[in-house]
Amino acid sequence: MTLNEDDEEALLVCNGCGEMRLGFSYNCSQCMFSLDMECAALNDDLAISVANKGREIQTTIYHFSHKHQLTRCKFPKCNVACMACKQELYGLVYACVPCPFILHESCLNDMPMEILGSPFHPQHPLIPYEVQVDLKVRPCDTCQEDFYGLIFSCPQCQVIQHYSCANYQTRKIKHNCHDHHLLHLGKGIFVKKSPLCNACGEGCSGTLFSCIDCKFHIHLECSPLPSIVKHIRHLHPLTLTNSVVEDNSGEYYCDMCETTRNQEHDVYYCKECTLTVHIDCALSEVEPPEEIVEYLVPRQQRRRAIKEIDEAS
């Protein structure tokens, strides 16, 4: 084996520990075998132990999302985004090192060969299409961010979306602030470029209601939504709250309609009963308005109140 010291920024999957590394390595060009510097320096006993663990991790597959073979490996925490969900890579991934093309193992396992009924293009199926490194592509039609590796597209309408946008879990809500139904969106859609709220003019970096066709976006508190409601089928008041994570299962449900919910979204919640309800489910059957205890204060009024307090002090 020879030391590769030509490129200290070279990516590799170490055949010893099964982890993706950046930097110098020892390589056998005949066997396509690589060791990072740490594994190459181990004594025989430790090397055998590490190699056994590495063999449990490493497998190679072919997947419709990429034209080359993908290797299963461990990825360190280093602020690199998954090419499917756009969230930070960490833990088990599938990777094509030369391209580079890297997905979470869970994203690859869950990815369908076509997406039906996408909230942002329900008319036709969306199918995966790999973006070539040297190919200039316009931004995603939903979030307006650039692509890096993978597109889901409708050839008929020439619509192109990130996988995370095409497969986004959301619900439609009818509110008197806009003529059309609004989608309940979370921060997973607009990661880098937050749209401006049509009510207060500030960036919508958290959860929001949105009409993509009209480019209408509004904060939940600018709608406004009641912060506390009394549902006719529940004993206690329900409080509007940020994302509720009940356990580590990765599956989250509305306790009213018993369908899945997006963990990014605000919900109505009863802390005493740990009851979690979609916003539209909670508002569908509320008791008369006098039972609503208080309302969220729109941002403009809130800023004005804060300014008055600061000036008085």
Side-chain angles (χ1 to χ4, degrees), residues 71-83:
T71 301
R72 184 174 184 257
C73 59
K74 288 181 70 175
F75 197 86
K77 207 172 183 68
C78 61
N79 198 29
V80 176
C82 170
M83 292 182 173

Side-chain angles (χ1 to χ4, degrees), residues 292-307:
I292 297 173
V293 182
E294 61 180 288
Y295 289 82
L296 286 171
V297 180
R299 288 181 174 231
Q300 290 174 325
Q301 296 179 24
R302 186 169 60 195
R303 284 202 306 270
R304 196 179 305 124
I306 293 172
K307 184 178 178 181

